[in-house]
């Protein structure tokens, strides 16, 4: 887990290079991030086999690992929701257009279909 911390921090760093350089930076960062996560997850999941010779104990360890993983995911979603709420993103209306109407199908030019056909 500690190996992932610098990679997660680097996600928020934007290098001062052109568009192609930023694309290459984020592609390489994504590759390193996925490689590190895969190495970490495979190693933690395969250790369960070596914990005990008893299959019930191995199953119990797998259940606990899955339970704590689920708790971590739910906690992460709750924390993310609190961060979004603090910055007021919940009040943002994605369907509102610049002229004040509130419709997903709103048009800024207000050109009717009949005018477009002619």
């Amino acid at each position: 887990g500690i190996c992932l911390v610098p990679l997660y921090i680097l996600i928020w760093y934007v290098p001062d290079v052109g568009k192609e350089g930023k694309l290459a930076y984020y592609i390489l960062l994504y590759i390193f991030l996925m490689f590190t996560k895969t190495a970490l997850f495979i190693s933690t999941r395969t250790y369960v086999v070596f914990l005990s010779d008893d299959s019930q104990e191995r199953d119990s360890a797998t259940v606990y690992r899955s339970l704590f993983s689920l708790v971590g995911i739910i906690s992460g979603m709750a924390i993310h929701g609190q961060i979004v709420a603090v910055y007021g993103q919940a009040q943002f209306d994605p369907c509102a257009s610049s002229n004040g109407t509130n419709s997903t199908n709103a048009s800024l030019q207000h050109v009717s279909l009949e005018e477009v056909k002619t």
Side-chain angles (χ1 to χ4, degrees):
I2 198 76
C3 301
L4 291 172
V5 172
L7 292 173
Y8 283 131
I9 291 171
L10 287 175
I11 289 174
W12 296 99
Y13 174 72
V14 180
D16 190 24
V17 292
K19 286 184 181 181
E20 292 82 13
K22 288 178 186 176
L23 179 65
Y25 170 77
Y26 283 110
I27 287 174
L28 287 174
L29 185 62
Y30 178 78
I31 289 170
F32 287 133
L33 184 64
M34 290 299 115
F35 177 77
T36 306
K37 285 176 75 171
T38 302
L40 178 70
F41 294 152
I42 287 176
S43 65
T44 57
R45 290 189 177 146
T46 56
Y47 281 142
V48 175
V49 176
F50 301 108
L51 286 177
S52 173
D53 292 330
D54 185 17
S55 66
Q56 266 189 329
E57 288 180 3
R58 288 193 304 261
D59 292 343
S60 177
T62 303
V63 167
Y64 281 120
R65 180 185 52 83
S66 300
L67 179 70
F68 282 110
S69 175
L70 182 63
V71 168
I73 290 170
I74 292 172
S75 300
M77 290 187 328
I79 290 169
H80 178 265
Q82 296 301 316
I83 292 171
V84 170
V86 166
Y87 288 102
Q89 294 297 320
Q91 293 140 0
F92 176 71
D93 186 9
C95 295
S97 63
S98 61
N99 61 4
T101 62
N102 187 3
S103 171
T104 304
N105 297 323
S107 173
L108 295 178
Q109 290 88 14
H110 295 292
V111 177
S112 70
L113 184 58
E114 296 300 322
E115 292 175 8
V116 174
K117 288 181 181 178
T118 57

